[in-house]
Amino acid sequence: MKKFLTLAALLATLQLAAQVYLNPNAPLEQRVEDALSRMTLSEKIAVIHAQSKFSSPGVSRLGIPGLWCTDGPHGIRAEVLWDEWNQAGWTNDSCMAFPTLTCLAATWNTDMALLYGKSIGEEALYRGKNVLLGPGVNIYRTPLNGRNFEYMGEDPCLSATMVVPYIQGVQQNGVAACVKHFALNNQEDGRHVVNVTLTDRALYEIYLPAFKAAVQQGQSWSIMGAYNKIWGQYACHNHRLLVDILHGEWGFDGAVISDWGGVSNTDEAIHNGMDLEFGSWTDGLTEGRSNSYDFYYLAQPYLKKIQSGEVGTKELDDKVRNVLRLIFRTSMNPNRGFGSLCSDAHAAAAREIADEGIVLLKNAPVGKKKTAQPVLPIDADKRTILVVGENAIKQMTVGGGSSSLKAKYEISPLEGIRERAALNNTEVRYVRGYVGDIGGEYNGVTTGQDLHDDRSASDLTAEAVAAAKQADLVLFIGGLNKADHQDAEGADRLQYGLPYGQDELISALAQANSNLAVIILSGNAYAMPWLCQVPALVQAWFNGSETGHALADVLFGDVNPSGHLPFTIMPALEDYASHQYGAIAYPGVNNEEEYKEDLFVGYRYADLFGQKKPLRYTAEGREFVIAPPAHKPLFAFGHGLSYTTFQLGKPVRDGNSIRVTVKNTGSRAGKQVVQLYIAPEKSGVIRPVKELKAFQKVALEPGEEKELLFTLTDDMFRYFDADKHDWVTDPSPYKVLLGTAADNVQTVK
C-alpha cells in the first residue's frame, strides 16, 4: 500500500510538471497555448466576461485565478458590493489619493511619472488588484470636457512621453495598466451615443500617439475601449481601431477591456477585437438585474452562436489567449510582492508630484516703487493672512465619477497654510467668500463635511471684502470642483467662466487689497476677466491627500514652483478651435460630430493668432476653413514661472545633435523645462506652425549651469499621409525651436 501511494504521488508530480501553464519559467506563449488546450468551451466563454462589478473569473478547475480590476488612475477605489455600486462597508479600503493626471502632466518630468506609477501600483498590489484602470491619455480638445482632469493635456508628444514611465512603474509590481479610453473620448456630453468623424491625419497625429506609445514603448498589458462611436461603429468593438490599428499596426498582445457597459453588439464584439467585457450594471444591459452576468454580449449569446454553428471558435481562442496573457502577467506572476498602502513613502511621493506640478502663472510686483516685490513667495513679515474661498476647505478626493476615492486623509489648503504659517507666527484667518457645491458623497463614500451656509452672496462678499482690508495678504482659493457639470465624469461643463460668482468676488477682493494671490483648483482652463487686477495667480489642480501641504510648500517658497501648463488657456471659449463651428463640432448634432478643426488643437490653433486670412484646404475629401483665433492666449501651452530666473544659452547644432546651456541666474534653486519644437517652412501640405517633439526638465542651484543634449530623429519630421496610409518625411525646410513655452522660443541656427 505504501509503494502504491508513493507511485501515485510520483505520477501526480509528473502530471503537474507536464502542465506547462503552471510553470512560471516557461515561455509565456507556451503557457498560454497549454492552458488554452485544457479549457472547455464553457470555461473559455466564462473568462471573457465579468463575474462581478470589478472581477472576471479564472478557471478554478485548472487553478487559474481570475482578475480583479480597480478604478484609478489617481488612487485605488474603495470596495463595492459584488453586484452593486454601493460601498461594501470595509474599514480597511482607504487609499493614498495622488494628484490628478493634469498635475502629473504639468510636472513635465518623466521621473515623476515613474514614481507615480510605482507608488499607485504598490497600492493596487496591496489591495489584491490585478488591473489598474488607468492612466487616461485622451486629448484636451475642449475646456468643457468634464473628464479633462483625468487626462494629460492637449499635446500628443507630452502625453506620449509621460504615459510610458507611468505604465512601467505600475507594471513593475505585476499589476497591469489599462490605458484609456481608446479612442476619441474627448467629451462627456453624449459620450454613449456620439459618432465622431475626423481625418486620418488628425487621428494619427493628434489622438493616437499617446496610445501608440503606451502599447509599443510602455508595453501596456491592457487597454480600455471608449463609449463613443467612431466612423459609425462603437469604439469597444470598432474593427479599424482594435483589429487594424491596435493589433495589426501596433502589434498589441494584451487584452482589450470594455468600458463598463461599452459593449452593445455580440457579433461586432466577436469579430472586432473586444476581449473582456465588463458592465455598468450586473448584466451590462439593464439596471439592477442581479447575478445575471450570463446575459453579457460575450456570455450566453456568444456561446449559443458557437453551439448553433453560426460562428466558429477562432475568435474566441484569440480572446482567451489575450486574457490568459493578462492573467499570467498579473495574478499568476511569481514576482509579485506584497505592495504597500498609505505608506509614508507614498505620502512623500504624492506631495513631491504635487509640488512639481503646481504652476505659477503670474507673479507681478505690487506697487510702482523700484523696490516693489512680487506677492509670492510669502514673506515671514506678513503677520496676517486672509484665506478666502470654498475650495480652501472642501474635500476634493470624493466625487468626480469613477476616479472618486476614499482617501485615508486629505490635507485641505487651509490646513496646509495654517500649519506652515505657524512656523512664522503668522495669523491665518478664513472666510467663506462664496457657496458652491455643498455635497460630499459619491456611491456611498462621504466626506463628512457640513458645508451648508445660508447667507446671501452679497453678505458673503461683504464679509470677505471687510476682512481683506484688514489683512497683510489675501489668498483666494477657488476654481472648480468635482460636482456634476464641473470637473466630473458623466457631464461636461456648462460655462467657461468660474462658477458661483467667483469672478465678481475676485474683483472685489482685488479692489480691497492689492496684496492678493489667486489660487485655482481645477483640471480645466477657465476665463479670467479679473486677470489684470490680480498680481499673482497659481494653478494648483486637484492634488489629492497632500493638497494642502504641497500648496503651502509653493506659496511659502519651501519649494520653488516648476510646473508648466499641459494645455493652452485662452481668454474665451470661442478662442478654442473646437468651438468655432457650432454644435456640429461640439457637442454634436443628432449625435453626429465632426472634428472640423482637424489638426489645429490647443497651441496648434493658438499659433494662428495674427494671421489675416483663414487656412482653407481640402483633405481626405473634406473642406476645411480654419479661421485664426480672435485673441492670443492668456497663458500659452508650456508656460510656467519660477521664484528664480533662468537663461538659455545660444543653442549649438552639430548634425542631429543640439546642445544648449541652461543657467540659474537667480538666488534660489529651481527647475526649468526646456522644450523643443519643429516648425516646417513652405511645406507642400498643411502643417501646424510648430509641434512639440521633445523636452527636458533640469534642476539647478543658484548660479549653476548645465548643458542639455537633444537628438533629432527622423520621426520628428514626419506627417501622416492618408493616401499612402503611412508616415512620410516632409522634404520642405524646417526650423528647430527651443524655449520654455509655446510662446517663448528661439530658432536654433
Side-chain angles (χ1 to χ4, degrees), residues 114 117-118 163-173 177 217-219:
L114 182 64
K118 174 181 178 294
V163 73
V164 170
Y166 180 111
I167 293 168
Q168 292 170 338
V170 171
Q171 293 186 169
Q172 73 182 39
N173 294 285
Q217 298 174 44
Q219 299 292 306

Side-chain angles (χ1 to χ4, degrees), residues 346-427:
H346 292 173
R351 185 169 180 170
E352 184 179 6
I353 294 163
D355 282 342
E356 284 223 14
I358 292 173
V359 184
L360 180 63
L361 293 175
K362 181 180 179 182
N363 196 29
V366 177
K368 297 182 180 180
K369 296 181 179 180
K370 292 183 178 180
T371 57
Q373 296 296 313
V375 173
L376 300 175
I378 299 172
D379 290 332
D381 62 358
K382 295 291 188 296
R383 307 319 307 160
T384 58
I385 297 175
L386 176 68
V387 176
V388 182
E390 182 176 279
N391 281 5
I393 60 172
K394 181 175 175 60
Q395 292 186 28
M396 296 291 190
T397 55
V398 174
S402 58
S403 64
S404 177
L405 298 173
K406 182 181 177 181
K408 182 179 180 181
Y409 68 90
E410 180 177 348
I411 304 299
S412 72
L414 181 60
E415 290 174 317
I417 291 167
R418 278 184 167 157
E419 180 183 317
R420 178 58 180 81
L423 300 179
N424 295 343
N425 295 316
T426 299
E427 179 186 3

Side-chain angles (χ1 to χ4, degrees), residues 354 358 410-413 521 540-552:
I358 292 173
E410 180 177 348
I411 304 299
S412 72
L521 276 61
W541 317 111
F542 301 118
N543 280 334
S545 291
E546 288 290 320
T547 292
H549 286 152
L551 181 59

Side-chain angles (χ1 to χ4, degrees), residues 66 116 413 478 616 646:
Y116 197 128
R616 298 177 182 273
F646 298 95

